[in-house]
Amino acid sequence: MPMQERYEPKNFEAKWQKRWAQAGVFLAGRRPAAPAKYILEMLPYPSGQMHMGHVRNYLIGDVYARYYWMRGFDVIHPMGWDAFGLPAENAAIKDGVHPAVRTRENIASFKSTFLSLGFSYDWTREIATCDPEYYRWNQWFFLKLLERELVYRRFSKVNWCTSCLTVIANEQVKDGACERCGSPVIEKQMPEWAFRITRYSDQLLEGLDQLTQWPDRITTMQRNWIGRSEGVEAEFAVKGGSDSVRVFTTRIDTVFGCTAVVLAPDHKLVQKITTPAQRAEVESFAARTGALHGVERVADAAQKLGVFTGAYAINPLSRHQIPIWIANFVLAEYGTGAVMSVPAHDERDFEFARKYRLPIKVVVQPKTGERLPPGSELTAAFTEDGVLTDSGEFSGLESPEARRRMTAVLERQGRGKRTVTYRQKDWGFSRQRYWGTPIPIVYCEKCDPNRNGIPVPEDQLPVLLPDIDVHAVLTGKGEPPLAKVSSFVNTTCPRCGGPARREVETMDTFVDSAWYYARYLSPHYELAPFDPALARRWLPVDIYIGGPEHAVMHLLYFRFWSRVMKEMGLTPADEPVERLVTQGIVNGPDGRKMSKRWGNVIAPSPLVERYGADTARTYVLFAGPPERDIDWSDDQVEGANRFLKRVWALAAQYQPIVARAKPMETSEPKALRIRRAAHKSLKRVGEAIERLSFNTAIAAVMEFVNALYLVERVETDAERATMAEAIHLLTLVLNPFAPHLSEEISEAYGHQTLVADQRWPDYDPALVADDVLPYAVQINGKLRSEIRIAADSGENEVRAAAEADDKVRLSLAGKSVKKVVFVPKRLINFVVS
Ligand SMILES: [Zn+2]
Ligand SMILES: [Zn+2]
């Protein structure tokens, strides 16, 4: 049947989605002998409306998965739902819809969007974390981690959102307000459950060195988050008493320049040592800063404020007497809650000393031989290592050697010890919420008078989240919701059989997402969270795609969990993921982040409705490299659509002439030209996909199509045969990006096998030998770099290659390209503003 003249994706996109599902081409495990590839996108929290920024994330995985299926791999590319969580519960408080109902609706809506975009998920592995079949294993892990003493109960200061009425994580506090609702956050003392993630701080830190395929900025953020520092805890005796202040410092070599000891306002010694003359001032200062929340106080400490206590300390090495202050930038909960202030060699201390006219004393000189002026004339702190001066017996030593000797002296005298500190804290994970995994603990007054909690035996799992009367339970006020459900709360003690009460808090949803990737391997497995044999085949995940905003919470928690699972013998690898891709944002057409507030959200459905899924896919993938932000452009959507129309027209034009052509060997020049173009595209598209440079890959497909358009007439059998082969290869290289169009053309050309199930052939090396040319890359007319690229590359390919160049990439970051000037075989110039 001849192809229609017009490209009408509506006529066939749904058909192919159905055929892929019927044929089971994306079912993981169907090629047991083939190498395995695990491709994963962060599981979505299904809420509200999906926009094209989300779609971009899933598309990256989809292209990659489709490509590796065609390369003959056995691929697992699953999808599921991070289904517990706050928004559904908060919405229920507002409008009374049960969180389960709302969540199911949202899941259905997300799923239908995913299906309409032609994503290659193995839907037989779909999970939702709110299913008892899933969260049962959260509870199982809780018990196992409890056995390993990785779970414990503690009293601690927690962040309490005054509007959400729940505990929230440090990371969710922004400038003293709740990240979700903007209400003020206060500190409260509360019992909570915590994971002892700090036992793994060193491992998590060392593990970062293995993660060579993670973006540097993510590993750097994790390193800073863990915040390991080696130093000394030194004791400064308080003058005229038996007390001493312990300070932690990584720069003990500067101790002779210490001109004050500074305590947190709520340090336990403050009350005791403050002199009567200073008391009023100290108390009013402590009251003011103490009221500020920890995170907020640090943010606020841009303005460094302090007050003198009237007391003095003795420097343990110089034996000098120095004043003791309190200040807003020192936190009781970090380190020892006290620091030594060395203004000449620390920027913060320098600023503080200038403000309060504390002495500034230079004790380290640059190694360059350059001399710093006296402290009183110093214009900035000198913070590097150097050579000690005015430091008694240590003068003349270089900083590292001085640190070693000073530490040894302090240890010998019992005035200090070598210490490693971490910024990372244990992970408090209990939440006063309904819509989450119940914590499998009961409290029995008889067996457990101290309320440490008695674990629910494993064979009684899952502890089911009870159904509730939404209006009565989710009031958003007072005690935790589950405390109001007496049928849940009242239970029997597993030890004595007497009456007991259940824990009414639920787990942080980051527990759900800490291990879900392993559940996909055997989503209905009943003997363990997942089948360890399958874990050996599929783990670690080869590529993981998601937003950079998860750099320190989710991505640290699941690295922690992975290590624990390995110790339990469940998984083969320390690290959960080999390669991490953090995709850039899709901004609205106005250049602002898509948001309801700006009214600039582009949703996938109207776009699919108007242009078809393949246009939406091609546009997003072509708009820029995955990690770069892009601004939405309707013109470029039109451009992507024009390109697909062009592909359709080409296929339609040749279909009657070449569709039934028999393959044949040939050395006719025109036929060879066609074959060259085809094999070059096989090579370039494949290589570009492997480096996730999808814009380059699509550019190469465009060049290929251009080359086929340049063929003027197809007459001989050999020409017909090579054109048929070329169009066949075109359907292959097009498939990862525009899979529906690719299938439709392939079918019109008489192929019986789905393109999705065909092999991506190896290119013929003899046909792809390229002349390579240097191209100058300019930005606003100035030379920035030079790239080498195949001589017959067109503008799109040169542009994509130039944008991938490191120097150019950095120069273009954060700028918007207004125009591109392309001079074939010579240069490309980006005009930016
Ligand atoms: Zn809030
Ligand atoms: Zn009991």
Side-chain angles (χ1 to χ4, degrees):
M1 213 172 65
M3 289 169 70
Q4 292 182 356
E5 214 171 298
R6 279 170 59 87
Y7 168 52
E8 300 274 11
K10 252 195 221 111
N11 294 348
F12 56 80
E13 288 192 344
K15 170 181 83 182
W16 291 109
Q17 290 155 13
K18 214 177 284 165
R19 293 234 191 128
W20 294 323
Q22 282 162 353
V25 281
F26 304 128
L27 296 183
R30 71 186 177 90
R31 291 177 184 159
K37 203 67 152 177
Y38 192 160
I39 297 164
L40 183 65
E41 298 109 51
M42 288 182 188
L43 92 170
Y45 178 79
S47 85
Q49 207 188 24
M50 198 192 314
H51 63 61
M52 288 306 291
H54 305 123
V55 168
R56 187 184 194 189
N57 179 32
Y58 308 114
L59 262 176
I60 295 168
D62 190 61
V63 171
Y64 209 62
R66 285 176 170 276
Y67 173 74
Y68 277 99
W69 275 120
M70 292 172 81
R71 294 298 286 173
F73 284 71
D74 197 3
V75 175
I76 182 167
H77 184 220
M79 180 45 66
W81 317 102
D82 193 11
F84 276 139
L86 273 178
E89 185 161 340
N90 286 340
I93 292 167
K94 245 201 231 150
D95 59 21
V97 177
H98 195 295
V101 172
R102 182 178 300 277
T103 302
R104 290 292 163 197
E105 282 168 8
N106 287 341
I107 287 176
S109 147
F110 266 54
K111 188 168 175 180
S112 83
T113 303
F114 283 173
L115 289 168
S116 76
L117 284 159
F119 289 155
S120 60
Y121 295 121
D122 178 350
W123 288 108
T124 65
R125 294 168 185 275
E126 180 180 0
I127 57 175
T129 56
C130 63
D131 284 340
E133 193 187 27
Y134 184 84
Y135 68 68
R136 165 190 179 184
W137 298 107
N138 285 344
Q139 296 172 341
W140 182 87
F141 273 121
F142 172 94
L143 298 178
K144 296 294 165 190
L145 268 64
L146 195 64
E147 283 168 20
R148 294 174 168 260
E149 295 177 351
L150 289 171
V151 170
Y152 67 100
R153 191 153 167 78
R154 67 180 183 190
F155 277 86
S156 66
K157 274 189 200 162
V158 294
N159 307 306
W160 179 261
C161 171
T162 50
S163 164
C164 300
L165 295 173
T166 188
V167 177
I168 58 177
N170 274 337
E171 300 84 346
Q172 292 164 323
V173 181
K174 294 277 170 316
D175 301 327
C178 169
E179 187 187 46
R180 292 179 195 270
C181 74
S183 306
V185 170
I186 57 169
E187 271 179 1
K188 252 190 169 180
Q189 280 283 350
M190 275 201 177
E192 68 167 352
W193 292 96
F195 291 121
R196 212 179 295 279
I197 190 172
T198 53
R199 196 189 278 173
Y200 290 78
S201 294
D202 271 325
Q203 282 191 43
L204 290 169
L205 201 57
E206 283 158 19
L208 291 173
D209 296 336
Q210 297 172 30
L211 300 178
T212 53
Q213 297 188 75
W214 282 41
D216 285 344
R217 63 175 172 151
I218 302 291
T219 50
T220 301
M221 280 172 82
Q222 293 212 347
R223 211 164 259 130
N224 294 340
W225 187 257
I226 296 167
R228 181 184 199 275
S229 43
E230 268 179 53
V232 183
E233 225 172 79
E235 284 196 11
F236 285 63
V238 178
K239 192 187 163 209
S242 57
D243 293 310
S244 64
V245 176
R246 286 185 306 134
V247 308
F248 173 78
T249 176
T250 57
R251 289 297 306 273
I252 194 69
D253 55 310
T254 65
V255 69
F256 280 73
C258 170
T259 56
V261 167
V262 185
L263 309 183
D266 43 352
H267 190 286
K268 59 182 187 317
L269 275 181
V270 173
Q271 285 292 331
K272 193 168 174 193
I273 63 175
T274 300
T275 58
Q278 293 298 104
R279 186 158 302 272
E281 208 183 334
V282 165
E283 279 174 2
S284 105
F285 182 83
R288 256 180 300 139
T289 52
L292 290 181
H293 175 267
V295 173
E296 187 182 22
R297 201 192 310 154
V298 171
D300 192 58
Q303 211 195 349
K304 288 161 192 60
L305 302 173
V307 53
F308 178 42
T309 62
Y312 288 86
I314 309 295
N315 185 318
L317 285 176
S318 73
R319 312 306 295 164
H320 291 142
Q321 178 176 316
I322 46 184
I324 303 178
W325 284 62
I326 61 174
N328 64 341
F329 57 83
V330 184
L331 294 180
E333 55 268 37
Y334 284 125
T336 60
V339 299
M340 63 178 209
S341 178
V342 184
H345 304 293
D346 179 282
E347 279 162 18
R348 185 187 62 187
D349 297 345
F350 185 76
E351 199 187 314
F352 189 70
R354 291 268 281 235
K355 184 171 173 92
Y356 292 104
R357 298 177 200 283
L358 293 166
I360 298 173
K361 196 180 158 203
V362 172
V363 292
V364 178
Q365 292 284 358
K367 268 190 286 193
T368 54
E370 180 198 347
R371 298 288 296 179
L372 299 174
S376 55
E377 290 164 32
L378 206 59
T379 53
F382 172 68
T383 58
E384 287 162 44
D385 279 1
V387 180
L388 270 63
T389 170
D390 286 328
S391 296
E393 60 180 292
F394 306 98
S395 295
L397 294 177
E398 292 200 0
S399 294
E401 178 60 16
R403 284 195 283 270
R404 271 191 292 278
R405 294 219 202 155
M406 287 172 159
T407 305
V409 170
L410 286 170
E411 286 190 323
R412 211 163 41 237
Q413 298 177 348
R415 292 203 188 103
K417 64 173 199 289
R418 221 174 292 262
T419 318
V420 178
T421 63
Y422 299 87
R423 184 173 169 268
Q424 186 179 32
K425 301 281 199 40
D426 280 338
W427 169 16
F429 68 90
S430 47
R431 297 287 180 271
Q432 305 210 317
R433 278 285 162 176
Y434 165 69
W435 192 231
T437 302
I439 295 174
I441 283 286
V442 302
Y443 299 99
C444 170
E445 276 175 31
K446 202 169 126 210
C447 311
D448 176 32
N450 295 328
R451 292 182 58 80
N452 293 319
I454 299 170
V456 172
E458 211 178 302
D459 61 9
Q460 289 176 26
L461 299 186
V463 175
L464 287 175
L465 187 66
D467 195 10
I468 51 163
D469 174 347
V470 174
H471 294 282
V473 174
L474 298 183
T475 57
K477 305 250 151 48
E479 53 185 354
L482 284 176
K484 300 170 191 159
V485 186
S486 56
S487 60
F488 174 81
V489 174
N490 297 314
T491 184
T492 47
C493 169
R495 292 207 184 137
C496 70
R501 290 173 64 81
R502 285 195 191 279
E503 173 61 82
V504 293
E505 302 199 340
T506 54
M507 296 186 199
D508 182 0
T509 54
F510 280 117
V511 176
D512 307 340
S513 54
W515 65 278
Y516 72 104
Y517 62 96
R519 185 69 183 168
Y520 284 132
L521 304 179
S522 47
H524 308 296
Y525 197 62
E526 297 209 344
L527 305 176
F530 51 91
D531 182 347
L534 291 174
R536 280 193 294 279
R537 170 150 198 240
W538 293 101
L539 296 183
V541 171
D542 290 275
I543 185 167
Y544 193 34
I545 304 144
E549 68 276 14
H550 296 289
V552 285
M553 285 193 283
H554 164 58
L555 289 175
L556 254 182
Y557 296 153
F558 96 140
R559 291 186 56 221
F560 157 67
W561 213 276
S562 171
R563 283 170 189 273
V564 177
M565 292 198 298
K566 186 184 175 202
E567 283 175 13
M568 292 170 70
L570 290 169
T571 56
D574 284 327
E575 292 290 340
V577 162
E578 276 191 356
R579 180 174 182 181
L580 175 73
V581 177
T582 50
Q583 95 278 5
I585 294 172
V586 180
N587 292 313
D590 54 359
R592 290 191 287 200
K593 195 174 170 174
M594 281 190 196
S595 152
K596 251 191 230 159
R597 181 155 47 132
W598 307 127
N600 62 354
V601 172
I602 307 278
S605 303
L607 203 67
V608 170
E609 186 62 28
R610 176 155 177 211
Y611 294 101
D614 286 340
T615 294
R617 296 170 59 108
T618 304
Y619 160 66
V620 171
L621 293 163
F622 187 56
E627 302 199 333
R628 172 126 42 98
D629 294 354
I630 55 177
D631 291 348
W632 189 266
S633 155
D634 290 329
D635 289 348
Q636 286 174 30
V637 175
E638 292 283 352
N641 187 244
R642 271 197 306 276
F643 164 62
L644 298 182
K645 284 177 175 159
R646 212 166 129 75
V647 173
W648 178 271
L650 179 83
Q653 176 198 337
Y654 282 108
Q655 193 249 7
I657 318 170
V658 309
R660 309 277 165 219
K662 296 257 179 317
M664 62 186 290
E665 285 300 316
T666 174
S667 55
E668 282 183 26
K670 196 196 276 177
L672 263 183
R673 223 169 51 229
I674 297 171
R675 295 198 71 203
R676 272 212 183 91
H679 282 254
K680 279 179 183 171
S681 84
L682 269 184
K683 174 174 192 283
R684 290 186 201 167
V685 177
E687 288 172 354
I689 290 176
E690 285 171 30
R691 347 179 264 280
L692 301 177
S693 185
F694 301 136
N695 55 332
T696 318
I698 294 174
V701 181
M702 289 173 171
E703 302 300 342
F704 180 29
V705 172
N706 289 344
L708 295 181
Y709 265 103
L710 288 176
V711 178
E712 280 182 352
R713 222 182 248 133
V714 167
E715 290 162 330
T716 65
D717 283 349
E719 286 166 9
R720 273 197 287 275
T722 44
M723 185 53 89
E725 185 206 4
I727 288 182
H728 171 59
L729 293 181
L730 174 61
T731 64
L732 298 182
V733 296
L734 187 66
N735 185 272
F737 314 103
H740 311 84
L741 172 59
S742 140
E743 297 281 7
E744 188 70 11
I745 295 173
S746 178
E747 187 186 49
Y749 274 66
H751 291 275
Q752 305 290 323
T753 317
L754 289 167
V755 182
D757 201 21
Q758 289 179 31
R759 284 304 163 91
W760 185 291
D762 291 327
Y763 58 84
D764 179 346
L767 292 172
V768 299
D770 266 330
D771 291 335
V772 172
L773 270 185
Y775 263 86
V777 185
Q778 303 178 338
I779 294 176
N780 288 343
K782 283 209 196 89
L783 183 68
R784 281 302 159 86
S785 191
E786 191 181 273
I787 55 169
R788 301 184 66 76
I789 188 166
D792 57 349
S793 302
E795 175 173 348
N796 284 325
E797 278 179 293
V798 174
R799 176 177 178 168
E803 286 180 322
D805 179 84
D806 275 342
K807 276 182 243 161
V808 179
R809 196 164 50 84
L810 292 173
S811 309
L812 288 180
K815 303 216 171 77
S816 116
V817 176
K818 294 292 167 213
K819 202 174 128 193
V820 173
V821 181
F822 178 70
V823 183
K825 305 196 190 303
R826 285 191 47 217
L827 70 82
I828 185 161
N829 178 23
F830 293 90
V831 182
V832 302
S833 61

